[in-house]
Amino acid sequence: MNVLLVRAHPLEDSFNGALLARTQAGLQRAGHAIDLLDLYADDFDPRLRAEERRTYADAAAVPAEIRPYADRLLAADALVLVFPVWCFGVPAILKGFFDRVLRPGVAFVYENNVVRPRLANIRKLAAVTTYGRPRWMIWYVGDLPRRQVTRYVRWFCHPSARAEYLAHYHMNASTPASRGAYLDKVERRMAAF
């Protein structure tokens, strides 16, 4: 399976960097081909510009700078997102990726005033993430990142696509043991992906 692995974190030497490495290791163990898209390393611009917004509904008007990202998404069989949760949301660069790449002509089309998903090529979806706060607090504020992945992004995918969401909560109080256990879990789950 061809997996588009999208990372949204600026630091290579962070815990998120370790998560990326273990995610890749698990996917490689399963024999998947990995197309790594590191949004920060790629200097992805998350800003939706005025002209881009004006032509947003035109499926033929995908901006030239977005087309390579769209092509990579359309060539994938699976999508795996590796990101931290900051301020109870996905990083701005990942939100910008959703805003700019999951657009008409790429992720969906308008047909007779009805929006229809277009990413039937994506049959598996997963997120690997960390939260600074405890799970009860995330639940209290609504856990938007989980819903963005398991409902919003998943909606564009193949109707039978499953969304797996792996999260480590309360990183601010985590221990080497809890982080190690999470890294092991991520690699195991990706090896079974």
Side-chain angles (χ1 to χ4, degrees):
M1 185 170 19
N2 182 27
V3 178
L4 179 60
L5 176 57
V6 179
R7 180 182 188 225
H9 195 288
L11 302 176
E12 293 296 321
D13 60 347
S14 64
F15 183 69
N16 188 271
L19 281 176
L20 177 67
R22 296 295 286 273
T23 299
Q24 286 179 295
L27 290 170
Q28 288 169 338
R29 255 184 32 214
H32 300 304
I34 300 168
D35 177 8
L36 175 60
L37 171 54
D38 186 323
L39 295 174
Y40 279 95
D42 208 50
D43 202 23
F44 179 81
D45 186 350
R47 296 171 301 157
L48 183 68
R49 294 182 182 82
E51 186 57 28
E52 194 174 342
R53 183 61 193 135
R54 277 189 196 94
T55 61
Y56 183 81
D58 183 355
V62 177
E65 70 181 88
I66 295 302
R67 178 50 61 193
Y69 299 105
D71 290 345
R72 290 167 78 175
L73 185 61
L74 291 167
D77 302 308
L79 176 62
V80 177
L81 307 166
V82 179
F83 62 92
V85 172
W86 289 334
C87 301
F88 299 99
V90 299
I93 202 166
L94 183 57
K95 176 63 167 70
F97 180 83
F98 293 163
D99 290 345
R100 296 187 73 204
V101 180
L102 301 182
R103 58 169 289 131
V106 178
F108 63 96
V109 292
Y110 294 112
E111 292 177 353
N112 301 319
N113 294 323
V114 175
V115 178
R116 301 214 187 276
R118 188 170 180 255
L119 292 176
N121 54 296
I122 304 291
R123 294 184 171 267
K124 290 190 174 188
L125 171 65
V128 176
T129 190
T130 55
Y131 292 78
R133 303 295 178 116
R135 190 168 188 170
W136 71 265
M137 191 175 289
I138 304 306
W139 173 84
Y140 179 75
V141 297
D143 202 355
L144 180 59
R146 179 183 295 269
R147 289 184 312 192
Q148 281 180 301
V149 172
T150 63
R151 295 181 190 177
Y152 173 70
V153 176
R154 191 204 156 284
W155 183 84
F156 298 115
C157 301
H158 191 277
S160 67
R162 286 184 0 205
E164 187 164 4
Y165 196 86
L166 304 173
H168 187 288
Y169 297 93
H170 212 181
M171 280 294 293
N172 297 336
S174 68
T175 65
S178 70
R179 290 189 301 273
Y182 182 56
L183 288 169
D184 291 344
K185 176 182 177 179
V186 165
E187 186 169 343
R188 265 194 327 273
R189 296 286 276 277
M190 291 297 104
F193 187 66

